[in-house]
Amino acid sequence: MQTIYLAGPEVFLPNAVEIGERLKKCCRDYGFAGNFPLDNVIVGSSPSEISLKIREANQKMIQASDIVIANLSPFRGPEPDSGTVWEVGFAEGLGKTVVAYSNDRRSLKERTQAMLHLGDKIVDDEGMHLEDFGLSHNLMFAHKIIASTFEACLQALRR
């Protein structure tokens, strides 16, 4: 049975463990085994030590998985969670199959203009130009977004 690392900002939700169990059950329903980051048991004596152990444990979990499904929905702004984006790049570097979903498929330019209240300006308040390739996300990973939901990614993988 192929294993899937479940990358995304769900780990920050108050009911993260419950969400992880639901995602793993969905994986089982489609014939996969899901690995959720909070499956790792982390113990440390300081925030710094704990953060390093989380990073190492998640890296090992990605290395042990066959596939990564990433939630690249906007997180605290127009872009996805930076940790999830890092995990996508790490997995791709390892040659893993990576697919992603986003609940907001507007173009990155349109979403950024709306979320930052820029109107139709193509430059943000700091003078930085908005990426405008007509893609829903940054060009470095937009091609990985194949669906709007987690389950749709599983359906695509099963095909």
Side-chain angles (χ1 to χ4, degrees):
M1 178 180 296
Q2 288 188 304
T3 57
I4 301 175
Y5 179 81
L6 309 173
E10 290 81 5
V11 297
F12 299 111
L13 293 170
N15 60 340
V17 172
E18 177 186 320
I19 297 289
E21 290 304 318
R22 184 180 56 78
L23 294 174
K24 292 189 310 185
K25 181 189 179 310
C26 198
C27 286
R28 288 191 302 275
D29 291 345
Y30 282 87
F32 298 99
N35 295 320
F36 191 63
L38 295 183
D39 294 342
N40 293 310
V41 176
I42 306 296
V43 178
S45 60
S46 71
S48 178
E49 180 185 5
I50 292 168
S51 71
L52 289 172
K53 287 184 176 187
I54 290 170
R55 182 180 193 274
E56 291 168 0
N58 290 353
Q59 285 177 325
K60 287 178 184 174
M61 193 176 270
I62 292 167
Q63 290 168 327
S65 296
D66 301 299
I67 300 165
V68 171
I69 296 180
N71 178 354
L72 295 177
S73 299
F75 179 72
R76 298 181 180 150
E79 295 276 0
D81 170 52
S82 59
T84 303
V85 172
W86 187 92
E87 290 173 330
V88 166
F90 181 69
E92 279 211 315
L94 294 173
K96 305 289 181 179
T97 297
V98 178
V99 296
Y101 62 100
S102 175
N103 63 15
D104 190 337
R105 306 281 295 273
R106 292 178 290 171
S107 75
L108 178 58
K109 175 187 167 190
E110 180 182 4
R111 187 171 55 252
T112 303
Q113 287 171 325
M115 288 186 175
L116 299 183
H117 309 289
L118 298 175
D120 59 359
K121 292 192 312 185
I122 59 168
V123 176
D124 69 15
D125 292 341
E126 295 180 15
M128 303 290 275
H129 286 268
L130 305 184
E131 184 173 312
D132 186 14
F133 293 98
L135 302 170
S136 67
H137 288 70
N138 180 282
L139 65 90
M140 295 302 288
F141 55 86
H143 61 286
K144 293 296 173 182
I145 299 163
I146 64 168
S148 297
T149 67
F150 176 76
E151 190 167 358
C153 285
L154 287 170
Q155 292 167 351
L157 288 169
R158 192 165 72 176
R159 284 186 228 123

